Structures are given as C-alpha cells and as structure tokens.
C-alpha cells in the first residue's frame, strides 16, 4: 500500500509541475502579445515617416567640397576703460585668409600633442 501512494504522489507532483510550466509560458506569451499591441498603438500616434521626396537633395551644381585654408586671427580691441568688453563692442568681420597657406607640422623632439611634455614613445 505504501508503494502505490508514493507513485500517486509522484505523478501528481509531475502533473502540477507541467501545469505550472504551461501556465508560466502562457503568462509570458500573453505579456509579449500585450507589449507588441502597446508598441503598435504608440507607433500609430507618431508622425508619419518622411517620404523619399521629402529628403534633402544635392544642389544642381553638385556636391559642396570642403575648403581647407589657414586663417589669420582677428585682433580683439582693447577697451579704453580696461573693463570687460561686451559682445556688441566686438566687430564681427571674422578672420582673414592667411598669406602663408603651408600647414605647420609637428617637429620631432618637441613636446607632442597638446603640449603635454611627456616622454611619449621612443
């Protein structure tokens, strides 16, 4: 009589485990379906995506190329009262094109980038 009760108890535990796993799977599947539905509702409220004709186009003259040139610094005027200059007191002419267009190169033996002065690689 003891053996049959053990088999019935073991079988009922296995059945309960299968039922619990199935219920957990249903819960996870339902949560995923709800997440997809929620995402679709959010996406429906967003602005429509731009059409290809709404995208920017190249100018009729073709692509604009990068221009590299060395610029001369613009001098900051001194205030007569030696007070701080306000933005409206500065002229906005910008910088001028430099006479020497040769790039300044790094010199071997100098301090390296950003003036760190470190030993660097030898």
């Amino acid at each position: 009589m003891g053996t049959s009760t053990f088999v019935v108890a073991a079988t009922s535990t296995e059945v309960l485990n299968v039922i619990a796993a199935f219920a957990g799977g249903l819960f996870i599947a339902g949560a995923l379906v709800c997440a997809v539905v929620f995402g679709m509702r959010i996406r429906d409220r967003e602005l429509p995506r731009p059409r290809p004709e709404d995208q920017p186009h190249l100018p009729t003259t073709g692509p604009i190329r990068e221009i590299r040139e060395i610029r001369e610094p613009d001098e900051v005027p001194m205030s007569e009262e030696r007070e701080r200059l306000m933005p409206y007191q500065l002229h906005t002419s910008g910088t001028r094109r430099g006479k020497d267009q040769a790039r300044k190169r790094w010199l071997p033996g100098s301090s390296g980038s950003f003036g760190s002065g470190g030993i660097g690689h030898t």
Side-chain angles (χ1 to χ4, degrees), residues 26-42:
L26 279 178
F27 177 76
I28 290 173
L32 289 173
V33 167
C34 289
V36 168
V37 169
F38 180 71
M40 289 171 61
R41 286 184 185 165
I42 295 290

Side-chain angles (χ1 to χ4, degrees), residues 6-66:
F6 178 71
V7 171
V8 171
T11 307
S12 64
T13 305
E14 290 174 8
V15 170
L16 287 176
N17 286 342
V18 169
I19 291 173
F22 184 73
L26 279 178
F27 177 76
I28 290 173
L32 289 173
V33 167
C34 289
V36 168
V37 169
F38 180 71
M40 289 171 61
R41 286 184 185 165
I42 295 290
R43 190 171 179 187
D44 288 342
R45 282 190 240 146
E46 292 176 353
L47 293 173
R49 294 185 180 197
R51 297 174 304 209
E53 57 267 8
D54 295 337
Q55 301 294 328
H57 299 285
L58 280 176
T60 55
T61 57
I64 299 172
R65 302 288 179 210
E66 178 179 339

Side-chain angles (χ1 to χ4, degrees), residues 49-118:
R49 294 185 180 197
R51 297 174 304 209
E53 57 267 8
D54 295 337
Q55 301 294 328
H57 299 285
L58 280 176
T60 55
T61 57
I64 299 172
R65 302 288 179 210
E66 178 179 339
I67 299 174
R68 290 185 180 212
E69 61 184 11
I70 308 295
R71 308 290 290 176
E72 289 184 4
D74 196 12
E75 298 296 326
V76 177
M78 294 295 294
S79 172
E80 292 83 26
E81 298 90 28
R82 293 279 198 205
E83 293 179 12
R84 189 177 91 177
L85 290 174
M86 300 306 288
Y88 58 84
Q89 293 172 314
L90 298 173
H91 53 85
T92 58
S93 63
T95 59
R96 298 175 304 281
R97 187 173 196 271
K99 294 175 186 134
D100 181 19
Q101 289 295 309
R103 278 183 61 198
K104 310 294 186 274
R105 295 291 186 176
W106 174 75
L107 298 173
S110 69
S111 64
S113 73
F114 304 114
S116 63

